[in-house]
Amino acid sequence: MRDIVILGSTGSIGVQALEVIAANPTKFRVVGLSAGANNLERLTEQVKKFAVPIVGTTGEGSSLRQALPGVEVIDGPDSSRQIAALSCDVVLNGITGSIGLGPTLAALEVGNTVALANKETLVAGGDLVMAHGRDRIIPVDSEHSALFQAMFAGKGNDVEKLILTASGGPFRTREDLSTVSLADALNHPTWSMGPVVTINSATLVNKGLEIIEAHYLFGIPYSKIEAVIHPQSVVHSMVEFKDGSTVAQASPPNMKGPIAYAIAYPDRVPHATNPIDWKSSHTWTFEPIDTERFPAVELAKRCGALGGAVAAMYNAANEVAVSAFMKEQIQFTAIVDIIEQTVTRLGGQAISVVRDLDDVSAIENDARRVAHEALGKK
Ligand code: MG
C-alpha cells in the first residue's frame, strides 16, 4: 500500500490521479489533499470519497470544516506546503503555475518523493530543486515520463540528445495566428488538459517550458535538447544515444499512464491506460517546428541557457500574457511578444544565482511588472 498526497487535487492532473487510485484501491491510499479556493465542493467530495484524514485549501477553510467533521483542515496560502510535508510515500504535485515551487521544495526538504506534474517548479526554481538531487523527483509530464523511461536503455553519458515531441497544438497548419480566438486556442486536438496548459500548447510555450524542465530533470545541456512536431501524440518523446540508436516511449495520449507510472514507480500499474491497438493501421508523422510562426521554443532555449533567473522570467511573463489573452485583452501572437520584450528588458540584469524562494519571487515580480507595462502598449 502506497500513501499518496495530492496537491492541486481538483485540477485536471489531480482528478485523473484520483481516478487511477480509485481503480487500484489495494495499491494506493490518499493521506492528504490540497487545492485552491475555487472548487471547494469538488474537494469536499474527494475527501469524503477517499476518506482523507487531512485536507488543505489556499482559501478560507470554514466551509470545509463544517462539511467535513473529524477531518483536519489546514487553510491559507501556506497550506499546500504543509500538506506537501506530510509523511507519505509520494507527493503528487499537480498545481499549475510557479506557485507550485514552494510545495515541491517543502516536500523534498522533509525527504518525500515528488511525482512532479508542475513543470513551473523546475522552470522557476530548477537550481533550488536540483540542490536536493535527482533521485526523489519522478516526472509526470508525458514527455518527461517518456524520457525517464527511455533513459533506462543506456547510461547517462551515452545520451546524445533528448527529443521532445509536440502535438503542434490546434494551429499547426494555420498560417495567420493573429486572428486566433480564445475558443480556438482552448480547443486542443489530442490532449485534454487545464486551460493554461492548453493555451501554452497552442503557443508552444508549453514545449519551451518542457525543454527547460528536461534540462533540469536529466542534467542535459540545452544544445542537446530538441523538439519535433508529432501530431498524433502517441510517441511521447525519445532519447538518442551516442551509437545512433533512438529509444522512444509510445502509448495513446492519456495522462493516466504517466500519472500511474510516477506514483507507482518503480512498479507499473496493470491497465493504467489502453495500449496501442495494433489491429488497426496507424501513421505516425514527425516534422520540424516552424520557428517563425512558433518562436516560443527557441526563445525558451535561449532563456534557459542564459541561466536560472531568466527561465523564471520567461514563465512569469507568460503567466501575465496568458491571463490577459484569457480575458481577451490581447491577440494570441502578443503572448510570445510580451515574453520576448520582458526577457529582453530584464535578461541582461538577471541575477545569476538563485539562492532561495525570495530570489524567485523578486525575479517574478520584476518580470510581471515589465510584462504588464508591455501589455499596456498592446
Ligand atoms: Mg507535456
Side-chain angles (χ1 to χ4, degrees):
M1 186 67 89
R2 285 216 155 176
D3 287 346
I4 311 288
V5 161
I6 302 179
L7 312 176
S9 69
T10 59
S12 173
I13 293 288
V15 166
Q16 292 179 82
L18 287 169
E19 287 170 14
V20 170
I21 291 169
N24 295 278
T26 59
K27 286 193 169 62
F28 306 109
R29 177 169 54 196
V30 185
V31 297
L33 292 178
S34 82
N38 55 10
N39 207 340
L40 293 182
E41 245 171 69
R42 180 180 272 178
L43 182 59
T44 303
E45 283 166 24
Q46 291 175 339
V47 170
K48 284 184 182 163
K49 179 171 178 190
F50 292 89
V52 183
I54 306 180
V55 61
T57 177
T58 50
E60 208 275 316
S62 57
S63 69
L64 287 176
R65 282 189 191 97
Q66 216 163 30
L68 299 166
V71 175
E72 186 181 340
V73 175
I74 301 173
D75 62 359
D78 198 42
S79 58
S80 43
R81 279 191 244 189
Q82 292 180 55
I83 299 287
L86 292 175
S87 165
C88 65
D89 294 301
V90 181
V91 176
L92 172 65
N93 185 346
I95 296 169
T96 299
S98 62
I99 51 164
L101 170 60
T104 297
L105 291 171
L108 294 172
E109 274 156 20
V110 298
N112 282 339
T113 292
V114 178
L116 188 64
N118 176 254
K119 62 193 77 184
E120 295 89 346
T121 277
L122 290 171
V123 175
D127 294 324
L128 298 179
V129 173
M130 285 306 151
H132 292 276
R134 292 204 164 79
D135 301 351
R136 283 186 289 122
I137 299 181
I138 316 296
V140 174
D141 216 346
S142 59
E143 294 80 0
H144 305 77
S145 177
L147 294 169
F148 186 85
Q149 295 177 56
M151 282 290 194
F152 288 108
K155 295 195 285 289
N157 58 6
D158 286 335
V159 173
E160 182 64 33
K161 213 186 271 179
L162 307 182
I163 303 107
L164 281 79
T165 54
S167 69
F171 310 129
R172 184 172 58 88
T173 56
R174 179 161 167 166
E175 277 307 316
D176 183 8
L177 296 180
S178 65
T179 57
V180 164
S181 72
L182 178 59
D184 294 341
L186 286 174
N187 187 14
H188 194 276
T190 51
W191 288 104
S192 163
M193 304 172 290
V196 175
V197 187
T198 303
I199 305 260
N200 290 347
S201 294
T203 54
L204 295 199
V205 163
N206 186 54
K207 210 50 51 183
L209 298 174
E210 288 181 348
I211 285 179
I212 298 166
E213 186 185 4
H215 163 77
Y216 282 111
L217 275 174
F218 303 107
I220 302 284
Y222 289 98
S223 57
K224 293 186 168 190
I225 310 178
E226 291 177 8
V228 64
I229 303 283
H230 167 52
Q232 296 81 16
S233 301
V234 177
V235 174
H236 298 301
S237 280
M238 301 170 266
V239 177
E240 182 186 306
F241 290 97
K242 271 182 185 162
D243 60 357
S245 180
T246 296
V247 176
Q249 185 268 334
S251 54
N254 182 339
M255 282 309 294
K256 284 187 192 170
I259 290 169
Y261 183 80
I263 61 176
Y265 176 81
D267 294 340
R268 285 182 183 267
V269 178
H271 317 295
T273 177
N274 288 329
I276 296 165
D277 173 13
W278 298 107
K279 295 214 159 46
S280 61
S281 51
H282 298 262
T283 306
W284 294 351
T285 58
F286 299 90
E287 59 194 70
I289 293 174
D290 177 347
T291 54
E292 301 249 314
R293 282 186 311 131
F294 296 104
V297 175
E298 286 305 310
L299 179 60
K301 282 176 85 164
R302 286 207 302 278
C303 291
L306 282 171
V310 186
M313 288 175 186
Y314 176 99
N315 181 59
N318 179 60
E319 289 185 4
V320 169
V322 167
S323 139
F325 176 71
M326 286 178 72
K327 291 180 204 143
E328 303 188 295
Q329 292 168 345
I330 56 167
Q331 281 187 352
F332 181 75
T333 44
I335 297 174
V336 179
D337 272 359
I338 284 167
I339 305 174
E340 176 138 41
Q341 285 179 42
T342 304
V343 295
T344 303
R345 255 189 68 187
L346 289 177
Q349 65 204 59
I351 53 171
S352 51
V353 181
V354 179
R355 296 160 301 180
D356 53 24
L357 269 177
D358 290 342
D359 280 352
V360 175
S361 299
I363 292 158
E364 291 189 327
N365 287 339
D366 280 351
R368 287 194 191 105
R369 178 179 47 76
V370 172
H372 275 292
E373 286 169 22
L375 273 181
K377 291 180 195 137
K378 289 282 168 191

